[in-house]
Amino acid sequence: MLAAIGQLAAVFVGIPSLIYLALQIREQTKERRQSAVNALTVQWGDLTRALHESAEFSALYLRGVQSFHDLDAVSKLRFSAFQNRFFKNFEGMYYSRCDSILTPELWGEIERTMSDFLAYHGVRQWWETRKHWHTEEFRRVVDAIIARGDEPKAYSTYNLREIVAPEKRA
C-alpha cells in the first residue's frame, strides 16, 4: 500500500515536470524556427544584393534568364555562379522544410519564387548544366516544378528586348 502511495505521489510530481519540459521544448522549437527564418532572410538579401547594386550584373542576369546558352563564356560563369548560390539557398530551404523548421506556408512562398525563376528558358538551360551539383531529392523537386510548364511572369512587365550585352573590350 505504501508503495502504491509512493508511485501515485511520483505521478503527481512527474506530470507538472513533463508539462514544463514539453513547454520548454515547444519554446525552443519556436526560437529555432525563427532563427532559421531570420538566417534565410539574411542569406536571401545577400544573394539579391548583386542584382540591385550592379546594373551591369542585372543586365547580364536578365539576358541569362532569357538564354543561358547565348551568353558569352565570362557571362555564363557569372550567371552560373549566381544561380548556383541561389539554388543552394533554395535547397537549404527545402531541407529546412523537410526538418519542419519552415512551415508549409513559408515553403509555399519559396516554391512560388522558384517557380517564377524556373519558368524562364535560360534558368532551365542553366539547371540542365548544373543539376548534378544538387541532391537527387532536391533535383526531383526542381524537375517537378519545371515539368508544370509555368509561363514566365516574374519579369513579364520588363521590356527584356531592351537588354543588350555590354560592349566587348578590344
Side-chain angles (χ1 to χ4, degrees):
M1 178 75 165
L2 195 53
I5 292 172
Q7 288 177 348
L8 189 58
V11 167
F12 285 124
V13 169
I15 289 175
S17 296
L18 288 175
I19 292 171
Y20 176 77
L21 180 62
L23 290 173
Q24 290 299 314
I25 290 171
R26 184 176 171 193
E27 284 304 309
Q28 287 175 350
T29 300
K30 277 185 190 177
E31 289 174 14
R32 191 172 125 225
R33 277 190 183 136
Q34 189 58 49
S35 178
V37 169
N38 290 343
L40 292 170
T41 301
V42 168
Q43 287 174 357
W44 185 260
D46 289 345
L47 274 171
T48 58
R49 181 177 297 125
L51 293 171
H52 62 82
E53 288 185 349
S54 170
E56 179 216 354
F57 183 75
S58 294
L60 180 156
Y61 180 78
L62 289 172
R63 287 192 321 277
V65 299
Q66 293 173 81
S67 176
F68 176 68
H69 295 314
D70 288 345
L71 295 175
D72 62 84
V74 172
S75 295
K76 280 182 180 177
L77 179 64
R78 292 180 71 198
F79 182 85
S80 187
F82 181 82
Q83 287 298 100
N84 188 55
R85 286 185 63 206
F86 229 35
F87 277 78
K88 285 295 184 182
N89 191 270
F90 285 141
E91 187 171 19
M93 292 177 191
Y94 170 73
Y95 284 107
S96 291
R97 172 63 195 123
C98 292
D99 292 339
S100 299
I101 294 169
L102 291 179
T103 64
E105 183 179 53
L106 285 173
W107 172 248
E109 179 182 329
I110 294 160
E111 188 174 27
R112 288 187 300 277
T113 303
M114 289 173 57
S115 296
D116 277 351
F117 293 126
L118 287 162
Y120 285 89
H121 189 63
V123 177
R124 292 190 308 262
Q125 289 173 337
W126 170 82
W127 176 250
E128 286 303 314
T129 70
R130 297 295 184 267
K131 67 181 176 179
H132 63 281
W133 288 1
H134 297 270
T135 64
E136 190 173 320
E137 186 175 345
F138 182 69
R139 287 193 314 250
R140 283 193 299 269
V141 170
V142 173
D143 288 342
I145 291 171
I146 291 170
R148 291 194 312 234
D150 295 341
E151 289 295 316
K153 294 180 271 191
Y155 309 113
S156 63
T157 61
Y158 303 14
N159 188 353
L160 297 179
R161 288 182 292 281
E162 291 178 356
I163 306 300
V164 293
E167 292 183 27
K168 303 282 184 204
R169 296 183 187 136

